[in-house]
Amino acid sequence: MTHRTVIIGSGFGGLFASKALKGVETDITLIAKTTTHLFQPLLYQVATGVLSEGEIAPTTREILRRQKNVGVLLGLVENVDLEQRKVYWRFHDSRHETEYDSLIVAAGAGQSFFGNDHFATYAPGMKTIDDALELRARILKAFEMAEFLEGEDRRRALTFVVVGAGPTGVEMAGQIRELAAATLAKEFRNYDPRDARVILVDAVDQVLPAFGESLGKETERKLEKLGVEVRLGAFVTDVTDAGVTLKFKDGREEHIESFCKVWAAGVQGNELGRTLAEQSGAELDRAGRVVVNEDLTIPGHPEVFVIGDLMSFPGVPGVAQGAIQSAKHVAKTIAADVEGKPRPGPFKYRDRGSMATIAKFSAVVKVGKFEITGFIAWVMWLFLHLLYIAGFKQRVTTLLSWALTFISNGRSQRVVTNQQLIGRLAIARLGKGSSAKLMRGEPPQED
Ligand SMILES: Cc1cc2nc3c(=O)[nH]c(=O)nc-3n(C[C@H](O)[C@H](O)[C@H](O)COP(=O)(O)OP(=O)(O)OC[C@H]3O[C@@H](n4cnc5c(N)ncnc54)[C@H](O)[C@@H]3O)c2cc1C
């Protein structure tokens, strides 16, 4: 019987593992809960109207259409039985199981609200297309509201708080400011969008902590020049409909009145990590990621690999390169198993550097000891992002959308709907099972 590989997830880990197994004598089943391969680094551009969701999320099935040894299934994996070597998954309420000889778990990580999950009601995270579209609706509708509000209410509508000063928070804050100051500048009659406040908040003492002190300082300076207010050393103690409360290290408190909040801080390993840990005795780190062996397997299971954002491996950050390189490594291991050859040695991560954009024509790049800022860094950012977007069509349309935005400040993806705004919370209210009923044409019921 042909060797069977199951891959959970179609992010960087799952997709690159599938591709790296091309030509290997194994039947691959890739199971993911979305139909697409999402390029998370550009989610903030979907949220701020630069790109459409299709540009950063091509269909996995289409990307892999020519690779004959891969089958793609849309399904939510609920459990893995390590003893029986089975993956249990469902498509709405239709339940299935798939057997494997090798298993690659690339289920990624979600947002952590550091034990305050209720903050998510008012401050959505930034991990999925749904998150980005919800944020787009919240951001653009706040500007719409300001057109008819007055005084304090208008001020509240025009105050945006972004929590988390890592690359996502910096990019979001920069983009909301550019949206206000450039794209929307002349479109409203009753107020000037350039008055919008964007406040970037973090508990740590510098922006972009992973980029080192000097790039952090440089980024902070550029953000402030752009009009972003930066609050560092500030813990978020509460998030409500009305705003965000901060407590500073010196005990000072500040309440910021704001309708539109963005949560771009903290990651939490996918819940499948717990299932694997409970059955194998693997440890979970503080962020709920699976501590893997040096060959990326879990204890007692040389046939089960955890890669990407869900793995905890010394020196590997939760970035695309971590997922891509770990995916290629486990693919080599599986190929060796299939061919009856010795496995490659331990996984070694090569740091290819980090980059973040601050604004149009301005970015920071850190590669080893090299630190680059400004226009050259921005060109490098542009080139690399274009290279890693999957799909030729997506690359072409992304390039066109960027040309439009960079030359004219226009943004062609400014559609917002009420579904975007309330979908997440409405689905939570309807409860489990409602989507399966809708699929069958039945009315959904509340739990
Ligand atoms: C907003 C944002 C910006 C980022 N910017 C950068 C950047 O600039 N540079 C960089 O290098 N990295 C960046 N990253 C990090 C990078 O995107 C991740 O490190 C990378 O996506 C990890 O890949 P992964 O395959 O491990 O996980 P993911 O890409 O998260 O993929 C997980 C996959 O698993 C699927 N899945 C999850 N649970 C289940 C389940 N139960 N059943 C079935 N399928 C499931 C998901 O649908 C998805 O397909 C960013 C991340 C975010 C969120």
Side-chain angles (χ1 to χ4, degrees):
M1 196 176 67
T2 312
H3 180 274
R4 298 158 302 177
T5 301
V6 170
I7 298 175
I8 304 174
S10 60
F12 283 104
L15 184 72
F16 278 78
S18 306
K19 286 184 169 179
L21 285 167
K22 188 175 179 181
V24 177
E25 278 289 308
T26 181
D27 284 338
I28 305 162
T29 307
L30 185 149
I31 310 172
K33 65 178 178 181
T34 60
T35 54
T36 54
H37 163 69
L38 173 59
F39 191 81
Q40 285 179 337
L42 289 173
L43 272 174
Y44 76 97
Q45 296 204 359
V46 173
T48 52
V50 177
L51 296 177
S52 74
E53 60 275 27
E55 277 161 335
I56 66 160
T59 314
T60 316
R61 197 174 284 295
E62 188 187 359
I63 301 172
L64 295 172
R65 68 191 182 283
R66 291 204 185 92
Q67 192 176 327
K68 296 281 182 259
N69 67 339
V70 189
V72 178
L73 292 169
L74 174 62
L76 176 76
V77 174
E78 291 189 310
N79 204 356
V80 176
D81 187 331
L82 294 180
E83 203 57 44
Q84 300 289 322
R85 297 191 177 186
K86 280 183 186 169
V87 169
Y88 296 89
W89 58 276
R90 67 180 171 85
F91 177 84
H92 298 283
D93 59 358
S94 165
R95 291 176 196 282
H96 306 266
E97 54 186 64
T98 303
E99 294 184 20
Y100 63 82
D101 300 306
S102 300
L103 174 66
I104 302 174
V105 186
Q111 204 81 60
S112 168
F113 290 83
F114 307 116
N116 296 296
D117 287 355
H118 58 287
F119 288 179
T121 306
Y122 306 109
M126 261 282 275
K127 287 284 180 191
T128 63
I129 289 287
D130 285 336
D131 292 339
L133 291 177
E134 178 179 344
L135 280 168
R136 187 199 285 171
R138 284 180 183 243
I139 294 165
L140 291 175
K141 285 196 176 205
F143 285 102
E144 295 298 330
M145 260 198 307
E147 183 74 338
F148 59 83
L149 291 176
E150 282 176 1
E152 279 302 293
D153 284 338
R154 175 180 290 161
R155 207 176 53 83
R156 203 175 292 146
L158 289 176
T159 301
F160 300 85
V161 181
V162 179
V163 181
T168 303
V170 165
E171 288 169 339
M172 266 312 275
Q175 279 301 308
I176 300 174
R177 253 321 284 171
E178 282 200 330
L179 177 70
T183 309
L184 304 180
K186 297 199 175 98
E187 293 189 6
F188 291 89
R189 299 291 168 259
N190 297 327
Y191 74 97
D192 186 343
R194 285 172 290 197
D195 293 339
R197 290 176 76 200
V198 180
I199 305 166
L200 179 67
V201 172
D202 204 305
V204 297
D205 289 326
Q206 72 159 81
V207 297
L208 299 181
F211 288 64
E213 203 182 328
S214 78
L215 283 186
K217 282 260 171 303
E218 172 76 2
T219 306
E220 186 179 340
R221 202 181 54 75
K222 285 196 168 146
L223 283 170
E224 283 174 345
K225 204 169 154 210
L226 199 66
V228 175
E229 299 170 40
V230 181
R231 304 269 201 284
L232 296 172
F235 293 86
V236 174
T237 54
D238 203 9
V239 179
T240 65
D241 55 337
V244 175
T245 308
L246 307 179
K247 187 164 188 175
F248 291 85
K249 284 184 180 159
D250 58 9
R252 208 166 27 99
E253 280 202 314
E254 180 182 5
H255 181 72
I256 305 169
E257 299 269 308
S258 159
F259 288 151
C260 184
K261 285 84 66 178
V262 182
W263 192 269
V267 292
Q268 177 66 38
N270 188 284
E271 53 274 21
L272 287 175
R274 182 160 301 285
T275 311
L276 299 176
E278 280 167 4
Q279 293 178 57
S280 68
E283 274 179 50
L284 293 181
D285 71 7
R286 280 199 325 184
R289 292 172 306 187
V290 183
V291 178
V292 289
N293 298 326
E294 52 180 25
D295 60 354
L296 310 182
T297 60
I298 54 174
H301 290 276
E303 74 288 2
V304 179
F305 306 85
V306 180
I307 62 170
D309 277 8
L310 184 54
M311 76 174 184
S312 173
F313 191 95
V316 184
V319 296
Q321 275 300 325
I324 293 169
Q325 292 181 32
S326 57
K328 290 181 176 170
H329 185 84
V330 303
K332 273 190 201 147
T333 307
I334 293 172
D337 287 354
V338 170
E339 290 158 16
K341 293 184 181 159
R343 288 184 160 195
F347 172 59
K348 286 198 183 70
Y349 177 67
R350 276 210 197 98
D351 186 0
R352 299 260 166 87
S354 325
M355 47 178 61
T357 42
I358 304 165
K360 188 164 76 169
F361 307 141
S362 174
V364 286
V365 173
K366 185 174 169 60
V367 187
K369 285 186 183 151
F370 287 102
E371 296 185 346
I372 306 159
T373 59
F375 184 70
I376 294 174
W378 182 81
V379 173
M380 289 169 74
W381 169 90
L382 188 121
F383 177 73
L384 264 172
H385 279 68
L386 214 50
L387 196 72
Y388 277 100
I389 289 177
F392 178 72
K393 291 192 288 287
Q394 279 73 15
R395 278 186 199 140
V396 173
T397 54
T398 298
L399 195 59
L400 289 175
S401 301
W402 282 348
L404 173 84
T405 304
F406 300 144
I407 294 164
S408 73
N409 289 323
R411 292 170 194 243
S412 50
Q413 304 298 332
R414 283 170 51 188
V415 173
V416 291
T417 69
N418 269 344
Q419 277 193 23
Q420 281 168 227
L421 195 66
I422 63 168
R424 175 176 60 102
L425 299 173
I427 289 169
R429 278 192 143 200
L430 280 172
K432 285 183 184 151
S434 50
S435 59
K437 292 193 180 98
L438 280 173
M439 283 289 298
R440 290 194 295 267
E442 298 166 14
Q445 266 171 5
E446 293 198 21
D447 267 0

